């Protein structure tokens, strides 16, 4: 009597391999957006933490008798008492008083600052501990209403001026320009708008009062800069509109 044995498979067939690969590809395609979303959310959280810490440093700075009631901006004048150039502005003023900062040697040397000055969504990336501060590596831009010096629209913010500090931005995501702060729509377009796609299309803003607010946009490419500017800084937008009207009257 002949006994029949069932043949046991010794491996996957080509069709089975194709099906497995297709399934893995589909799963990867489904999970990728969620992974990216989690990474972006982590960047937003880290960036918010950075601005919160910078806000605390700014509060400490403004309580110092040497610069009482002032928040530094990129329009600060050079400090003749230091050995290095403070022309870059606010980050050097804050960094000089913070732990982890390495002061430069010589007038044109670069200060190394802690990573709270750099957003994880801002490229190029920086070292884990500290990095050389300049307009390419600093992730935040200063805003100002020029309340310290009427002749200098980029001057420091005087926190005792008659204004609502909850609606006056001080620092936000952006690409700094040496010696300049965000003072109007034009500078907003130049320094802030490019940072809209940095992390989840969310723009983080630190106000002069110390609070941090998040502004989300659906599509950075189609955003209306003027409306966003008025939304973030209503008092500054109103002030610049008034200044424009005055210039037209003078003409």
């Amino acid at each position: 009597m002949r006994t029949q044995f069932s043949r046991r498979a010794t491996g996957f067939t080509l069709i089975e391999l194709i099906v497995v690969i297709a399934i893995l590809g589909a799963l990867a395609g489904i999970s990728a957006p969620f992974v990216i979303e989690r990474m972006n959310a982590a960047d937003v959280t880290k960036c918010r933490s950075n601005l919160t810490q910078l806000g605390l440093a700014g509060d400490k700075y403004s309580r110092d008798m040497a610069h009482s009631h002032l928040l530094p901006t990129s329009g600060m004048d050079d400090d003749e008492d230091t050995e290095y150039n403070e022309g870059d502005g606010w980050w050097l003023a804050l960094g000089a008083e913070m732990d982890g900062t390495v002061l430069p040697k010589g007038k044109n040397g670069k200060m190394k600052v802690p990573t709270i000055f750099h957003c994880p969504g801002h490229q190029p990336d920086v070292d884990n501990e500290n990095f050389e501060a300049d307009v390419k590596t600093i992730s935040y831009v200063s805003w100002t209403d020029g309340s310290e010096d009427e002749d200098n629209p980029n001057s420091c913010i005087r926190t005792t001026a008659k204004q609502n500090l909850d609606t006056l931005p001080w620092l936000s995501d952006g690409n700094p320009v040496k010696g300049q702060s965000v003072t109007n729509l034009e500078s907003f377009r130049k320094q802030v708008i490019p940072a809209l796609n940095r992390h989840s299309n969310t723009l983080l803003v630190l106000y002069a009062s110390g609070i941090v607010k998040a502004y989300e946009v659906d599509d950075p490419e189609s955003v209306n800069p003027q409306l966003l500017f008025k939304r973030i800084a209503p008092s500054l937008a109103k002030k610049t509109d008034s200044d424009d009207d005055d210039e037209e009257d003078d003409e």
Side-chain angles (χ1 to χ4, degrees):
M1 182 176 178
R2 181 178 296 176
T3 303
Q4 295 182 351
F5 295 93
S6 60
R7 183 193 295 178
R8 300 183 63 185
T10 58
F12 290 108
T13 65
L14 178 59
I15 294 178
E16 289 172 332
L17 287 173
I18 293 174
V19 170
V20 170
I21 292 173
I23 292 174
L24 291 176
L27 291 175
I30 294 173
S31 62
F34 293 101
V35 173
I36 294 174
E37 184 176 349
R38 285 197 297 270
M39 292 173 62
N40 286 334
D43 286 349
V44 172
T45 299
K46 175 60 178 174
C47 186
R48 181 185 288 273
S49 174
N50 288 350
L51 286 171
T52 298
Q53 293 181 68
L54 290 172
L56 294 174
D59 180 66
K60 180 181 177 182
Y61 179 94
S62 68
R63 293 175 184 275
D64 191 321
M65 290 299 296
H67 23 70
S68 180
H69 304 297
L70 294 179
L71 290 175
T73 66
S74 290
M76 293 179 63
D77 294 328
D78 288 345
D79 187 344
E80 296 179 356
D81 294 333
T82 61
E83 295 181 357
Y84 52 91
N85 188 348
E86 285 192 340
D88 287 337
W90 69 270
W91 60 84
L92 297 183
L94 286 188
E97 301 184 2
M98 297 178 65
D99 293 337
T101 297
V102 179
L103 297 179
K105 296 181 179 179
K107 188 173 180 61
N108 296 319
K110 292 288 186 180
M111 174 187 284
K112 289 190 175 182
V113 294
T115 53
I116 63 171
F117 289 84
H118 185 85
C119 168
H122 183 194
Q123 298 300 321
D125 203 357
V126 299
D127 296 335
N128 292 329
E129 294 183 0
N130 53 25
F131 62 95
E132 289 189 352
D134 59 35
V135 293
K136 295 182 179 179
T137 56
I138 296 291
S139 301
Y140 307 107
V141 299
S142 62
W143 298 53
T144 183
D145 62 347
S147 54
E148 167 60 9
D149 183 358
E150 293 184 356
D151 295 328
N152 177 12
N154 285 283
S155 65
C156 299
I157 293 175
R158 180 166 288 280
T159 58
T160 53
K162 293 181 179 179
Q163 58 196 330
N164 184 355
L165 298 182
D166 286 339
T167 62
L168 176 60
W170 172 40
L171 301 177
S172 77
D173 285 316
N175 298 328
V177 175
K178 185 174 181 178
Q180 297 182 24
S181 295
V182 178
T183 59
N184 52 32
L185 180 59
E186 181 181 355
S187 53
F188 175 73
R189 289 176 185 270
K190 184 176 183 179
Q191 298 187 58
V192 179
I193 290 297
L196 281 178
N197 57 3
R198 188 168 289 174
H199 38 54
S200 298
N201 299 341
T202 300
L203 180 69
L204 294 175
V205 181
L206 168 66
Y207 286 82
S209 63
I211 63 173
V212 178
K213 295 181 182 180
Y215 295 88
E216 297 182 1
V217 298
D218 294 329
D219 181 9
E221 299 298 327
S222 61
V223 69
N224 185 318
Q226 185 173 15
L227 292 179
L228 184 59
F229 179 63
K230 289 183 176 181
R231 183 182 171 197
I232 294 173
S235 58
L236 186 57
K238 184 177 180 179
K239 178 178 181 295
T240 53
D241 287 343
S242 177
D243 292 342
D244 291 340
D245 292 339
D246 291 340
E247 290 180 4
E248 292 179 1
D249 292 340
D250 292 339
E251 294 176 357

